[in-house]
């Protein structure tokens, strides 16, 4: 009874092998591709079944190998390596060492093709992975560079803004000092004018008395002459700041070596106290220095 069942199983295998071989290699339509894939899986199962028998059917095995060689271009990598040890690749690898020369030769042909196919696919996938990693690394580097660039730009913008603000504040402070000095000079000038006017007003009665006295003493034929007003000191025409500057210049020149003293040195010392006013009054300062040096040398 056991032998009868084995014979029936072998007959079923032969029938299934013929059907899978007929379906193998056709890829004209999607249905053909599905049938081709199913046929390869079926033939792989048949090869495994046949090679595990105590007395394998070498003729059927050889026929299956022939069919696979003819359709090798349609066999994909997953079908070769599927199930590892029970996969098609491992079966033909074992069969290439078979004692039967025909079986080992055909299995060797398939093995070499499978090896190159799998190696090519692995290399392709490895290259894709390297490219993907490179692209990811480049994206990360670009992101970091962009972030760093934005950070540097932000720092530069902040520096420029702070610098502009400092310059603006310094300019405003300088302008305020200038306005204050002008205001002080204007007040001093007004006070000087007022003082001069008051002095002039006080002197008027004396002039009238002198005129009357002079008219009484002179004859009618002689024209009356007014007593000339005394000339005012030149310094009275100077504003208060110029007076202060001239006084400070006198102090500078008094203790200086006249042979080595320069106008520039005098102006630098005045600038510490009077700022921009020195430059605006450089003609006055130059003339004052000349007069003071001449006066000191004469004494």
């Amino acid at each position: 009874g056991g032998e009868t069942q084995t014979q029936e199983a072998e007959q079923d295998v032969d029938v299934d092998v013929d059907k899978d071989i007929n379906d193998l290699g056709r890829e004209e339509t999607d249905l053909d591709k599905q049938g081709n894939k199913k046929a390869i899986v079926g033939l792989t199962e048949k090869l495994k079944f046949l090679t595990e028998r105590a007395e394998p059917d070498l003729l059927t095995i050889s026929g299956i190998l022939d069919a696979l060689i003819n359709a090798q271009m349609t066999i994909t990598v997953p079908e070769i390596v599927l199930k590892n040890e029970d996969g098609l690749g491992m079966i033909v690898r074992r069969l290439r060492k078979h004692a039967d020369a025909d079986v080992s030769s055909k299995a060797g042909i398939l093995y070499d093709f499978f090896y190159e196919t799998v190696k090519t696919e692995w290399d392709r996938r490895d290259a894709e992975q390297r490219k993907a990693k490179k692209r990811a690394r480049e994206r990360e580097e670009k992101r970091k560079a962009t972030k760093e660039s934005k950070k540097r730009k932000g720092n530069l913008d902040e520096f420029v803004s702070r610098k502009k603000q400092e310059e603006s504040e310094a300019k405003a402070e300088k302008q305020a000092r200038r306005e204050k000095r002008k205001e002080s000079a204007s007040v001093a000038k007004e006070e000087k004018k007022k003082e001069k006017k008051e002095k002039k007003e006080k002197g008027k009665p004396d002039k009238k008395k002198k005129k009357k006295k002079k008219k009484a003493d002179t004859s009618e034929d002689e024209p009356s002459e007014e007593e000339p007003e005394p000339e005012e000191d030149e310094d009275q025409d100077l504003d208060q700041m110029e007076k202060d500057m001239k006084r400070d210049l006198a102090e500078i020149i008094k203790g200086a070596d006249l042979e080595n003293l320069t106008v520039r040195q005098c102006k630098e010392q005045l600038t510490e106290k009077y700022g921009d006013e020195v430059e605006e009054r450089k003609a006055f300062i130059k003339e004052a220095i000349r007069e003071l040096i001449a006066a000191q040398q004469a004494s």
Side-chain angles (χ1 to χ4, degrees):
E3 293 180 0
T4 302
Q5 290 177 355
T6 301
Q7 291 175 356
E8 290 176 355
E10 290 176 357
Q11 289 175 356
D12 291 339
V13 168
D14 291 339
V15 172
D16 290 342
V17 167
D18 291 337
K19 182 178 181 304
D20 289 336
I21 290 174
N22 289 333
D23 291 338
L24 193 62
R26 296 187 306 181
E27 288 197 340
E28 295 177 2
T29 65
D30 290 340
L31 188 62
D32 290 338
K33 291 178 181 179
Q34 292 176 5
N36 187 76
K37 184 175 181 180
K38 185 178 179 182
I40 291 171
V41 173
L43 289 174
T44 301
E45 294 293 332
K46 304 306 184 297
L47 269 178
K48 180 176 180 297
F49 172 76
L50 291 171
T51 55
E52 288 176 350
R53 291 175 57 186
E55 295 182 4
D57 184 350
L58 298 180
L59 186 61
T60 303
I61 292 173
S62 181
I64 293 173
L65 294 175
D66 278 332
L68 292 172
I69 289 171
N70 292 333
Q72 62 185 353
M73 299 305 295
T74 65
I75 302 174
T76 62
V77 170
E79 292 162 350
I80 296 171
V81 300
L82 190 66
K83 297 183 180 178
N84 297 326
E85 292 297 323
D86 294 335
L88 184 56
M90 295 303 295
I91 292 173
V92 297
R93 181 181 180 183
R94 290 194 295 270
L95 285 176
R96 71 192 178 106
K97 298 180 181 180
H98 199 278
D100 184 83
D102 185 51
V103 170
S104 64
S105 175
K106 293 175 181 178
I109 293 170
L110 278 174
Y111 177 79
D112 292 341
F113 173 76
F114 290 167
Y115 177 82
E116 289 300 323
T117 301
V118 173
K119 183 176 181 300
T120 301
E121 179 64 14
W122 281 176
D123 291 344
R124 184 188 67 79
R125 292 185 182 184
D126 185 57
E128 286 182 353
Q129 289 178 356
R130 286 199 300 272
K131 285 181 180 179
K133 289 180 180 179
K134 184 180 178 181
R135 286 193 297 268
R137 186 168 60 252
E138 288 174 349
R139 284 196 299 270
E140 180 63 19
E141 290 174 355
K142 186 176 180 180
R143 186 188 67 79
K144 288 182 179 179
T146 302
K147 185 177 179 181
E148 186 65 24
S149 177
K150 287 181 179 179
K151 184 179 179 181
R152 285 197 301 270
K153 187 177 182 301
N155 292 340
L156 180 60
D157 291 344
E158 184 181 352
F159 172 77
V160 171
S161 177
R162 188 170 62 251
K163 196 70 176 175
K164 285 182 178 179
Q165 185 177 356
E166 290 174 357
E167 290 175 355
S168 178
E169 290 175 355
K171 189 175 181 180
E173 186 178 352
K174 186 176 180 181
Q175 184 64 25
R177 288 199 303 269
R178 182 178 297 177
E179 293 295 332
K180 189 175 181 179
R181 286 195 297 269
K182 285 183 179 181
E183 185 180 352
S184 299
S186 178
V187 170
K189 195 170 184 180
E190 289 297 325
E191 290 178 353
K192 184 66 180 178
K193 284 181 180 180
K194 187 177 179 182
E195 183 181 347
K196 184 178 177 181
K197 187 176 179 180
E198 290 176 353
K199 187 175 180 181
K200 193 173 182 180
E201 290 293 331
K202 289 179 180 179
K204 278 183 180 180
D206 296 335
K207 289 179 182 177
K208 287 180 181 179
K209 288 179 181 179
K210 286 179 181 179
K211 279 184 183 181
K212 289 178 181 180
K213 187 176 181 182
K214 194 168 188 180
K215 284 181 182 180
D217 294 338
T218 57
S219 63
E220 294 178 359
D221 296 332
E222 292 178 356
S224 62
E225 293 181 0
E226 294 183 1
E227 185 177 343
E229 295 183 8
E231 294 183 0
E232 295 182 355
D233 187 44
E234 291 181 359
D235 286 347
Q236 291 178 355
D237 295 331
L238 302 177
D239 63 24
Q240 186 63 37
M241 183 170 289
E242 289 177 349
K243 285 184 177 182
D244 293 342
M245 285 183 178
K246 193 169 183 179
R247 185 185 64 249
D248 291 341
L249 281 171
E251 292 296 325
I252 293 169
I253 292 169
K254 183 178 179 182
D257 181 3
L258 298 183
E259 293 183 1
N260 298 320
L261 184 66
T262 64
V263 174
R264 184 177 179 180
Q265 290 172 345
C266 294
K267 286 169 67 178
E268 286 177 354
Q269 293 187 52
L270 288 179
T271 302
E272 294 178 1
K273 183 174 181 180
Y274 299 100
D276 295 340
E277 295 295 336
V278 173
E279 191 63 26
E280 293 176 3
R281 301 167 189 265
K282 59 184 180 181
F284 162 76
I285 293 170
K286 188 174 181 181
E287 181 63 23
I289 292 171
R290 186 184 66 77
E291 291 177 3
L292 290 168
I293 290 176
Q296 184 165 327
Q297 287 176 340
S299 62

